[in-house]
Amino acid sequence: MDAKVQLYIPRSFNSFQGFSVKDIKEHFSTEHMEVILESHDDRIRLCTCCVHKLGIMKDRYWVRARHLRVFNWSVTINFWREKRHCSHCKKTRSEWIDFICPTSPHMTLELAWWINRMSEISAVLQVSKLDSIDKMSCYAVDKYILTRLLQGYQIPDVTQISVDEVYARGPIQRKKGESRDDLFLTVIVDQRTHKVIWVSKSRRKEALDSFFEMIGKEACQRIKVVTCDQHRGYAERVRQYCANASLVWDKFHLVQAFNEALNEERKKEWDKYGEQSLKEDDLLAGKYKYIYLTKSANRSKTDRRHIEEDMKKNERIAKMELIKEHFHKMFHCQDKLEAQIMLSECYEWAWQAKAFHLLKWIMSVRERNEFWNYFEHRLTSGVSEGINRAIKTLKWMAYGYKDMNYFALKIMQRSGYLNHKYALQWMYQKETNA
Ligand SMILES: [Zn+2]
């Protein structure tokens, strides 16, 4: 009979490459389990830095690495890790262990994947509390797994994309040599699936270049529509890379710009009345400003009364109101021709009211195809509104992000494909092909 006692070893504990389980120690009082591993003699030791074969042994140290819980018991994997001479690095190096997370040597890779998986549905901070793992290790591990998933990441074929910017950091976090643009991220969304397909650092034009270069010439040719904000210099880049794409200025940004121009007019008008009348009736200042920025249908009764009184006093403001309503209605037009007529009317009325800010603004858009393309494609970056909310929630949950690369990865994880549903299988495919 064999003298060696056969232990019952759960199958999940027999997956440590190069090692076998020698013993399992249970500590009932602390609900903790220690799995003691024994190295196989024929194991090939590789360098953690250069993955070359290591030479003679110099030293060894006892490793206690956190592993996945079993029946809510905490588990550590315990083994001797060797330090050997690496002829390539010309130094003593620790050996490479397959099942240990490379960025956090006190954690198994299994646990790292699990933390990443949990962080898809919860904040990393919560995951760290749930598993009582140090917060910073959790962040590091989550980022490491996301970076690994990114290596197999495939940008899906797209024909309609929207480009929008997201405010990612406050000005306090601005580093030396960075401009305001660096506080933003450029988010690229597939209009068909409403998923984030890529996130670039900064909101500069170059942010788009990296995306177009990554997907390649042919994929660029397949893009038919690009929606974006008129103020950013994206147009030039889109024309340069995507010969077949028509550019659409985003409706929400246009309305915003229009309202700003209109507000300039109102301010000018009010300046004429001087301080005295402002004291009497603070209609355009402070809290009343928002009344003007909302559509008439959305205003309350009191708000409407305010405006009516105001209009009696000031005919020009009344005219401005009409122009605004007209402009908003224009987006409901059936076709471009109908919309063109409406914008011409806005222009005429602005001329009659001598609203030069508004005139200037209308002139700046009415000759541009990007403006009229909306009536052909009916696309706005409005799809990103939902995504913007998801991104904001992400930011709140983590109390902001200092690391922009990590934030970009998290956006792609939450609102895109960089998660276990998609990117994991892409990563496996790439690894098996390689
Ligand atoms: Zn080495």
Side-chain angles (χ1 to χ4, degrees):
M1 214 178 109
D2 198 340
K4 210 175 169 186
V5 184
Q6 283 290 316
L7 274 175
Y8 162 70
I9 295 157
R11 199 177 273 267
S12 64
F13 286 161
N14 260 333
S15 56
F16 303 106
Q17 213 180 330
F19 290 82
S20 38
V21 177
K22 193 169 91 181
D23 197 8
I24 297 174
K25 289 179 186 161
E26 289 108 343
H27 304 276
F28 279 89
S29 58
T30 52
E31 297 196 333
H32 181 71
M33 212 183 284
E34 280 182 298
V35 180
I36 316 291
L37 299 185
E38 190 178 39
S39 170
H40 296 166
D41 294 334
D42 57 349
R43 197 159 53 88
I44 297 165
R45 274 92 172 171
L46 301 173
C47 170
T48 36
C49 294
C50 64
V51 207
H52 276 79
K53 210 172 153 185
L54 290 172
I56 49 160
M57 192 170 103
K58 297 278 187 184
D59 198 4
R60 62 175 195 169
Y61 56 100
W62 190 243
V63 175
R64 288 165 56 92
R66 279 287 301 270
H67 192 49
L68 291 171
R69 283 174 177 273
V70 173
F71 300 125
N72 213 27
W73 278 39
S74 55
V75 178
T76 49
I77 307 298
N78 304 261
F79 62 95
W80 286 110
R81 193 171 182 174
E82 291 175 5
K83 281 174 119 174
R84 284 168 176 262
H85 180 75
C86 175
S87 55
H88 193 258
C89 295
K90 296 194 171 55
K91 261 185 178 172
T92 304
R93 294 280 195 208
S94 292
E95 58 174 332
W96 172 266
I97 305 285
D98 276 309
F99 53 85
I100 289 294
C101 177
T103 54
S104 304
H106 297 291
M107 200 184 281
T108 62
L109 204 51
E110 282 283 307
L111 182 60
W113 278 100
W114 178 245
I115 288 171
N116 170 260
R117 171 75 186 91
M118 293 297 280
S119 80
E120 281 177 11
I121 49 171
S122 179
V124 178
L125 193 64
Q126 298 304 319
V127 179
S128 98
K129 279 180 189 162
L130 188 75
D131 262 314
S132 21
I133 299 165
D134 165 59
K135 182 178 79 183
M136 294 322 280
S137 305
C138 274
Y139 282 116
V141 158
D142 188 36
K143 191 183 171 186
Y144 166 73
I145 299 288
L146 285 174
T147 316
R148 242 183 100 169
L149 286 173
L150 190 70
Q151 284 162 8
Y153 185 72
Q154 297 163 5
I155 292 177
D157 243 350
V158 282
T159 53
Q160 303 174 336
I161 58 167
S162 107
V163 182
D164 209 351
E165 61 192 40
V166 172
Y167 188 55
R169 289 181 295 172
I172 310 160
Q173 285 168 337
R174 195 148 99 188
K175 289 178 203 129
K176 237 185 181 176
E178 282 184 339
S179 71
R180 199 178 136 69
D181 289 339
D182 291 302
L183 302 178
F184 290 80
L185 292 173
T186 302
V187 178
I188 297 158
V189 176
D190 180 1
Q191 288 271 15
R192 201 174 46 84
T193 57
H194 296 189
K195 281 200 184 275
V196 174
I197 52 168
W198 192 251
V199 180
S200 291
K201 277 212 282 181
S202 98
R203 61 171 182 186
R204 266 178 258 122
K205 300 175 210 169
E206 293 78 24
L208 258 189
D209 294 357
S210 58
F211 172 74
F212 288 140
E213 270 154 28
M214 201 166 42
I215 62 172
K217 254 185 197 164
E218 278 172 36
C220 282
Q221 301 302 311
R222 285 195 288 271
I223 296 176
K224 295 281 181 294
V225 188
V226 180
T227 322
C228 66
D229 174 0
Q230 94 237 45
H231 290 306
R232 308 250 65 89
Y234 298 142
E236 182 195 318
R237 296 313 218 259
V238 172
R239 269 183 226 113
Q240 185 186 334
Y241 284 95
C242 314
N244 303 321
S246 38
L247 206 69
V248 182
W249 277 343
D250 177 43
K251 178 182 132 183
F252 291 98
H253 286 107
L254 284 171
V255 168
Q256 208 180 4
F258 175 86
N259 285 349
E260 271 163 27
L262 201 69
N263 234 30
E264 281 299 309
E265 294 295 341
R266 292 203 194 102
K267 250 196 272 170
K268 216 171 63 189
E269 192 62 20
W270 215 248
D271 284 346
K272 278 200 284 189
Y273 284 81
E275 272 185 29
Q276 200 191 350
S277 93
L278 264 172
K279 270 177 202 155
E280 279 168 24
D281 202 343
D282 223 358
L283 274 171
L284 277 182
K287 67 171 184 170
Y288 291 112
K289 189 182 153 189
Y290 81 93
I291 306 177
Y292 287 93
L293 293 176
T294 47
K295 279 193 215 168
S296 71
N298 298 340
R299 287 170 186 153
S300 74
K301 236 180 185 173
T302 24
D303 289 349
R304 253 177 276 168
R305 207 180 314 127
H306 261 293
I307 286 179
E308 274 162 27
E309 279 171 22
D310 200 16
M311 280 177 179
K312 269 181 225 151
K313 273 192 207 158
N314 193 323
E315 206 195 318
R316 255 193 90 216
I317 285 187
K319 277 183 188 158
M320 236 77 91
E321 271 303 296
L322 284 174
I323 297 170
K324 191 180 107 183
E325 284 300 306
H326 214 60
F327 181 77
H328 282 247
K329 259 188 213 151
M330 183 193 68
F331 287 102
H332 300 295
C333 283
Q334 290 301 310
D335 54 46
K336 185 175 148 184
L337 195 71
E338 205 184 315
Q340 275 171 332
I341 294 166
M342 278 185 92
L343 192 73
S344 298
E345 284 163 349
C346 287
Y347 182 81
E348 240 178 80
W349 296 349
W351 178 257
Q352 285 163 11
K354 295 194 171 54
F356 295 115
H357 279 289
L358 216 52
L359 273 178
K360 209 171 121 195
W361 189 84
I362 296 175
M363 269 158 66
S364 74
V365 298
R366 68 171 188 178
E367 302 293 333
R368 302 292 295 265
N369 283 333
E370 294 91 329
F371 184 82
W372 300 111
N373 279 345
Y374 169 79
F375 297 93
E376 197 180 317
H377 302 288
R378 301 273 163 189
L379 290 171
T380 71
S381 3
V383 286
S384 330
E385 293 295 301
I387 288 167
N388 274 341
R389 178 175 294 185
I391 292 172
K392 269 184 194 154
T393 314
L394 204 62
K395 226 162 80 178
W396 288 330
M397 277 164 62
Y399 304 106
Y401 285 86
K402 274 185 201 162
D403 182 344
M404 297 288 267
N405 287 326
Y406 182 44
F407 188 31
L409 291 171
K410 288 302 271 184
I411 294 171
M412 284 169 71
Q413 178 193 46
R414 194 57 64 94
S415 307
Y417 296 104
L418 200 67
N419 47 51
H420 79 284
K421 273 188 203 156
Y422 307 96
L424 196 59
Q425 65 184 37
W426 295 341
M427 196 192 77
Y428 285 142
Q429 275 166 14
K430 205 164 184 177
E431 277 175 7
T432 33
N433 289 343

